[in-house]
Amino acid sequence: MTAIDISHIRRAAERLSGRIVLTPLLESAMLNELAGCRLFLKAEPLQKTGSFKIRGALNKILSIPEAERRRGVVAFSSGNHGQAAAAAARMMNCPAVIVMPGDAPAIKIESCRWWGAEVILYDRVKEDREAIGRRIVEERGMTLVPPFDDPEVIAGQGTMGLEIADQMREAGATPDVLLVNCSGGGLASGVVTAVKAAFPETRCYTVEPAGFDKMARSLASGAPSRNERLTGSIMDALMAPAPGHLTLAILRHHRVEGLTVTDEEALVAMGAAFRTLKIVVEPGGAAALAAVLAKKVDLSGKTAVVVCSGGNVDPALYARALMAPSELSVARPLDG
Amino acid sequence: MTAIDISHIRRAAERLSGRIVLTPLLESAMLNELAGCRLFLKAEPLQKTGSFKIRGALNKILSIPEAERRRGVVAFSSGNHGQAAAAAARMMNCPAVIVMPGDAPAIKIESCRWWGAEVILYDRVKEDREAIGRRIVEERGMTLVPPFDDPEVIAGQGTMGLEIADQMREAGATPDVLLVNCSGGGLASGVVTAVKAAFPETRCYTVEPAGFDKMARSLASGAPSRNERLTGSIMDALMAPAPGHLTLAILRHHRVEGLTVTDEEALVAMGAAFRTLKIVVEPGGAAALAAVLAKKVDLSGKTAVVVCSGGNVDPALYARALMAPSELSVARPLDG
């Protein structure tokens, strides 16, 4: 037994139907050659707010009883989750408070405000964000939308896995391997649950930044392990300090293993997605593709699915990825 | 009566079914605000070979009787059409010859070879490419795949319009205005035919580079007009010297009008697509979006569809678009 099963994810998919983008599962002959396998990519940068996070945030908000929902929601995040919570709240016409450190980039603060959210800034050194959150929940009767360790959030992210399973069946293909970018594990646990329900034989991997592989270590040892550092990778979307309790249990249940990639490998993957698929992928969103292109696992002769989870990347950093070395136009395409 | 009608396009869609990508029709709240209207974008950079050209090339090849098809096809193009013809021929396992000027970029030559095509280079000054083509057709019994002025090519491109019509119905929206990038007019005439069949009231516009507006002038005067220059815009995909005979007649039949955009406006549109939709759009592919963002036609309170037709852009040029001025994160979203 885990915190969610496929029926939770199906219920989330019903709730989200018509409210989110059914993102395409893309294949490219040139990318297949680079990858050395048949590769399908879930193009989630095309999702509303530019990442998968809207799935979980919106499903969570939709699960709140109407009277409570009207009082609003609160989220802690300076990243994709904060933006998604703000957008989801707007879609449901309820107030949102996003709690961010005072040194968060202005563009991220403005983006949450653009969606109509109230942004509360705190001092990383002097203030306790948990205490700020508790005060908002108590004083305003708002509901917390956690970034990953919540059954409704996990089920929402899992709807991407249902779509992948349907799209693979339509393509007449069976995934031997699934690779998913991993921060706290909400996306990975939801998607793995849905894909394994359709394809029980699929081997699943999480992918994290090298040096920030708390999930890989936790999966290997069975005990939750924390990252030593909180910053130091361009994959800013994958910087959760520790796995979730629910997410780790789900990933262990499905015998998921952990892989890592370097910043340089992520940049190469972003460049490959630009050249072959014409989608904008952020560094953390490109980790799983990077693991394939850097041959972190043997995929020869196999069919693999990677999740490209988001595309919210600073133009200057993206320009660096465009200049990363390309191995394209070197040889003949694979057959088929 | 025009060269094609909706039944030709439906037949093309049946032929292409399962062979091409059903590209998403995307909407972004932030982009709606920038555009000052409700805007839907057909994300064709995600199509196989990175542009819509595979639709027409593949439909043409599929329309050739089996015995002839086995002898192969020939196309003149150093751009998206050449790559699409090479890829389509590979998909159908028939030989392809792509005829290009000897000074075409190495990357484009290699790309056609990557797809398995034979590339024949000619001297722009000393040789006549039409004569080269005639010789190949006669000597090898190959079939010419024209870039735009051919009923099967137009019908193939028109399948994008069928998808747009279906996707608009699914979204519960009616297009008041449709804007399509225009080179020889193959895409525009096909898409307009399909969209007008579903939504007869939609006003349709072609969009061309400023200074290269042969179609706008031809539509206004009724007589085919040529561009004075053959180069001089970053919108390299929109550089056909003159409208097609069939395409001009179709566009006039539907009372299409012509708009133009500058290189700078195209770069701004590419940057907006990067920021809001996370798709890579090439300069010529961004012309219709540029016309909307630069307010070349009054869309206030209206619903518009723009075609983003391709994403094959050089990384260095793309980096320029990333640095183009952005008007994002300035105000509140539109309702809904």
Side-chain angles (χ1 to χ4, degrees), chain B residues 81-106:
Chain B
H81 174 60
Q83 207 179 140
R90 185 180 177 84
M91 287 165 75
M92 300 312 300
N93 280 311
C94 73
V97 172
I98 312 297
V99 182
M100 287 187 190
D103 57 358

Side-chain angles (χ1 to χ4, degrees), chain B residues 44 93 100 134 141 144 160 169 193 224 239 241 244 248 252 256 278 282 303 321 333:
Chain B
E44 199 69 2
N93 280 311
M100 287 187 190
R134 272 197 306 276
L144 184 70
M160 192 204 294
R169 283 198 206 96
T193 300
M239 289 286 107
L248 177 58
R252 279 186 49 83
V256 175
K278 315 301 175 186
E282 64 184 273
T303 298

